[in-house]
Amino acid sequence: MIELIRELGFLVYRFIYDLGRFGMFALSVVKNLFVRPLRWRRFCEEIFKEGVLSIVIICVSGLAVGMVLSLQGYNTLIRFGAEETLGAVVGLSLVRELGPVLTALLTTGRAGSATAAEIATMVKDEQLDGLRMMSIDPMHLIVTPKAASMILVMPLLSAMFICCGLFGGWMIGVLLMGIDGGTYLTSMESSMTFADDVAGSLLKSVIFGILVGLISTYRGFTATPTSEGVSSATTSTVVFASVCVLISDYFITALWGV
Amino acid sequence: MKSARNDKSVAIALEGVNMSFGTRRVMHDLTCEFARGKITVILGGSGSGKSTLLRLIGGLIRPQSGAIYIDGRDVTKLAESDMYDVRRDIGMMFQHGALLDSISVFDNLAFPLHEHTDMSEDDIADEVRDRLDAVGLANAEDLLPGQLSGGMLKRAALARAIIQRPKILLCDEPFSGLDPISVKRIEALLLQVNQRYEMTTLLVSHHVATTMRMANHVLVLKASGAVSGSPEEMRASADPLIHNLLSDELTDNIDDIEPEGGAARA
Ligand SMILES: Nc1ncnc2c1ncn2[C@@H]1O[C@H](COP(=O)(O)OP(=O)(O)O)[C@@H](O)[C@H]1O
Ligand SMILES: [Mg+2]
């Protein structure tokens, strides 16, 4: 029993310790955003690595999700004779929920894990210490551009995901199932408002970008300097960031009704 | 001992430094000093805290207690941002290179110059090629660190450590994994920069013969503390540990069985 309490106490302690450390880390990233020289070049490199290289997987996934959504939606709606609302169903689910969330999960797997692994490897090989010894702050040079670019990249990728999804949904609904193209688009357009749905979608993906960017860089930066440390930083980034995305998605939806 | 921090002939002084990792105590009340402009060789068995000592001096880790004076300034009390100023005068050659692996050797050397000076591109290129020539890597400037052999990596790391002509040079095992020709070359280079720029040089090495030849001072790390003296005093020492360490002076090949130093790759 005493053992159990001690274990529990230790876990709580670890959690609070980690949370505090993560908070300090996040503050430091924010501070470093404004420290000169601004790392524009590094920022652009990261956008390329995290964003441009993810475009294919995002588009293919978006297309597939849109298509399956349309197929499932059609099969369900036709039971109620409401298949002309298919455009609204596909559009709203993609914009409000699936676009931002699935993009965040895919980006975590693709770019988040790569970011964590890259930084953890630099920790392991003492590259970051090497930078420190050259009077260059690795938080400023390496971490901040990576975290910041994720915040920009996430909404852009999410938008691409949604566009591909809408196209996939349209293909199935209109071309395959033979719903009238005009009906499909009108139902989608009239059910959606910019302020609510589109802006909300944007807000979600920005928050997910912050989460994934900070978690992946934090996990990499605090990795133990061994091969095992690198792999556990990568794994825990994927697990932790995915769970955080899903949980925060619930709260954003519940609180802001997005 | 108190005077060490104001003594101009002492570049670095440690006073009562205690360092542990978790429950593992690596340094116990270590007090020692390093003469300005001289080459001091640090000897000790593996795990005796040689690398830890260099990392402490570079401020990469902080001791639990004690003071470390660099040019009379206690760096253990400095904020990280002030530490960056102190490090401008320190060049560190890491045991495994620690070069940025995403950019070429040339860019690795040019990087600190881009960051901290307003030299023109041409001047930077001249400076970088000068150092690469000095370590014998003139034809490797376009390679990525991952494409270098272990020995080449060491030499590139040394070139980077001295690119800004630091006042203090910390070298962690500069000779391990090097072929005999490179050892000679690096030895000559270290002597040369030490004399020309009066660099205070700290060498951690198992190449006892080479380093004892170069040393002005020797510091031996032992569990019970540090022993320092001139190379002659060390050779005459009755201490069995020192005697053992120096007995390799004749064979000079401990590192060649080092598993990770890249000896096999070099
Ligand atoms: N970051 C660290 N965490 C835990 N233990 C460490 C760490 N760095 C060094 N040590 C321990 O400190 C001791 C001295 O290490 P080090 O200075 O690397 O020895 P060496 O003299 O071989 O260079 C070793 O026993 C090592 O296990
Ligand atoms: Mg060592």
Side-chain angles (χ1 to χ4, degrees):
Chain A
M1 191 64 201
I2 296 285
E3 267 305 302
L4 196 73
I5 293 174
R6 185 180 298 154
E7 282 285 305
L8 209 67
F10 183 71
L11 278 182
V12 171
Y13 164 81
R14 276 296 320 185
F15 180 74
I16 294 175
Y17 173 81
D18 248 351
L19 209 63
R21 218 168 139 206
F22 182 71
M24 297 298 291
F25 178 84
L27 274 182
S28 164
V29 168
V30 173
K31 201 190 80 200
N32 273 299
L33 279 175
F34 304 100
V35 173
R36 273 161 210 283
L38 300 179
R39 304 281 181 187
W40 285 114
R41 227 186 101 174
R42 288 271 308 118
F43 184 67
C44 296
E45 281 168 17
E46 291 306 329
I47 293 207
F48 181 79
K49 264 197 282 188
E50 290 168 3
V52 178
L53 297 182
S54 302
I55 286 180
V56 174
I57 137 171
I58 289 293
C59 288
V60 171
S61 312
L63 201 67
V65 168
M67 285 164 67
V68 80
L69 199 62
S70 188
L71 208 56
Q72 290 282 13
Y74 182 83
N75 288 336
T76 313
L77 289 172
I78 200 143
R79 295 188 201 170
F80 309 105
E83 66 271 21
E84 70 274 12
T85 59
L86 183 64
V89 170
V90 171
L92 282 180
S93 353
L94 273 173
V95 170
R96 291 172 62 109
E97 208 50 57
L98 295 176
V101 172
L102 290 183
T103 304
L105 295 180
L106 287 168
T107 311
T108 301
R110 164 85 188 43
S113 61
T115 300
E118 195 182 328
I119 298 180
T121 307
M122 296 180 90
V123 171
K124 168 176 157 282
D125 294 346
E126 297 183 311
Q127 292 179 46
L128 297 188
D129 284 337
L131 284 173
R132 285 192 187 98
M133 286 312 297
M134 295 190 291
S135 299
I136 298 163
D137 185 357
M139 280 300 286
H140 186 236
L141 180 77
I142 307 287
V143 169
T144 304
K146 276 188 190 294
S149 61
M150 195 72 91
I151 301 171
L152 181 73
V153 154
M154 194 68 89
L156 294 177
L157 287 179
S158 168
M160 267 179 216
F161 184 98
I162 292 171
C163 290
C164 292
L166 291 179
F167 177 67
W170 176 84
M171 275 202 317
I172 295 299
V174 176
L175 299 186
L176 190 67
M177 297 304 176
I179 296 178
D180 177 50
T183 317
Y184 184 87
L185 287 179
T186 317
S187 103
M188 186 188 295
E189 201 195 327
S190 59
S191 66
M192 225 182 285
T193 59
F194 182 83
D196 220 24
D197 303 311
V198 180
S201 168
L202 214 61
L203 173 78
K204 266 191 185 174
S205 55
V206 169
I207 292 179
F208 295 160
I210 295 174
L211 278 176
V212 175
L214 285 178
I215 291 174
S216 57
T217 46
Y218 175 76
R219 286 288 163 173
F221 199 71
T222 55
T224 34
T226 56
S227 312
E228 204 192 334
V230 175
S231 74
S232 95
T234 316
T235 321
S236 79
T237 293
V238 173
V239 173
F240 205 65
S242 306
V243 171
C244 281
V245 162
L246 293 173
I247 292 178
S248 64
D249 179 47
Y250 173 79
F251 283 103
I252 302 170
T253 310
L255 290 177
W256 281 301
V258 179
Chain B
M1 203 61 234
K2 273 276 175 260
S3 64
R5 86 172 80 156
N6 296 319
D7 188 343
K8 280 277 169 267
S9 69
V10 174
I12 306 167
L14 279 75
E15 268 180 30
V17 169
N18 285 295
M19 182 73 216
S20 358
F21 296 100
T23 54
R24 192 187 166 85
R25 181 157 236 187
V26 181
M27 264 160 213
H28 181 72
D29 228 358
L30 179 70
T31 297
C32 59
E33 52 184 64
F34 298 95
R36 186 181 306 279
K38 297 283 195 282
I39 298 181
T40 305
V41 170
I42 301 167
L43 300 175
S46 60
S48 59
K50 305 181 296 297
S51 302
T52 305
L53 177 61
L54 297 191
R55 295 169 66 80
L56 278 167
I57 293 171
L60 293 172
I61 47 178
R62 307 271 170 133
Q64 272 78 32
S65 65
I68 299 171
Y69 297 100
I70 295 179
D71 285 333
R73 202 163 162 210
D74 183 2
V75 296
T76 57
K77 306 284 184 301
L78 290 184
E80 186 68 10
S81 52
D82 296 322
M83 201 58 221
Y84 283 119
D85 291 334
V86 176
R87 289 189 191 127
R88 291 285 186 95
D89 294 329
I90 305 180
M92 180 144 169
M93 175 190 172
F94 286 84
Q95 200 166 348
H96 302 294
L99 299 181
L100 293 173
D101 58 11
S102 54
I103 57 178
S104 71
V105 170
F106 182 93
D107 290 335
N108 259 294
L109 267 69
F111 190 53
L113 296 176
H114 280 299
E115 285 289 317
H116 297 309
T117 66
D118 35 27
M119 291 162 70
S120 70
E121 287 297 327
D122 288 344
D123 289 348
I124 289 181
D126 286 346
E127 197 79 358
V128 170
R129 300 226 162 84
D130 171 68
R131 295 305 189 288
L132 286 176
D133 262 343
V135 297
L137 283 180
N139 50 10
E141 62 174 55
D142 293 326
L143 298 181
L144 292 174
Q147 297 166 322
L148 300 182
S149 75
M152 290 163 90
L153 206 54
K154 292 249 154 172
R155 289 184 273 153
L158 177 62
R160 187 179 72 168
I162 58 174
I163 189 81
Q164 295 199 80
R165 301 208 176 111
K167 290 187 197 139
I168 296 171
L169 178 62
L170 312 173
C171 295
D172 201 345
E173 316 224 349
F175 301 117
S176 68
L178 289 191
D179 57 282
I181 297 169
S182 297
V183 169
K184 292 253 156 53
R185 172 177 229 145
I186 298 299
E187 179 187 352
L189 176 66
L190 285 171
L191 284 171
Q192 187 200 344
V193 291
N194 171 255
Q195 271 149 25
R196 203 190 298 165
Y197 305 117
E198 302 196 327
M199 252 178 229
T200 307
T201 307
L202 272 57
L203 282 181
V204 167
S205 179
H206 285 126
H207 273 244
V208 179
T210 310
T211 43
M212 287 297 276
R213 205 156 56 219
M214 301 164 64
N216 301 114
H217 296 283
V218 179
L219 179 83
V220 178
L221 290 180
K222 305 195 300 175
S224 54
V227 182
S228 66
S230 67
E232 291 71 34
E233 284 165 4
M234 287 295 154
R235 287 198 187 93
S237 165
D239 188 316
L241 179 88
I242 297 176
H243 192 78
N244 261 334
L245 280 171
L246 294 194
S247 67
D248 291 314
E249 198 169 343
L250 301 174
T251 51
D252 206 11
N253 61 359
I254 295 187
D255 299 306
D256 299 343
I257 49 171
E258 188 195 48
E260 213 189 346
R265 284 199 291 155

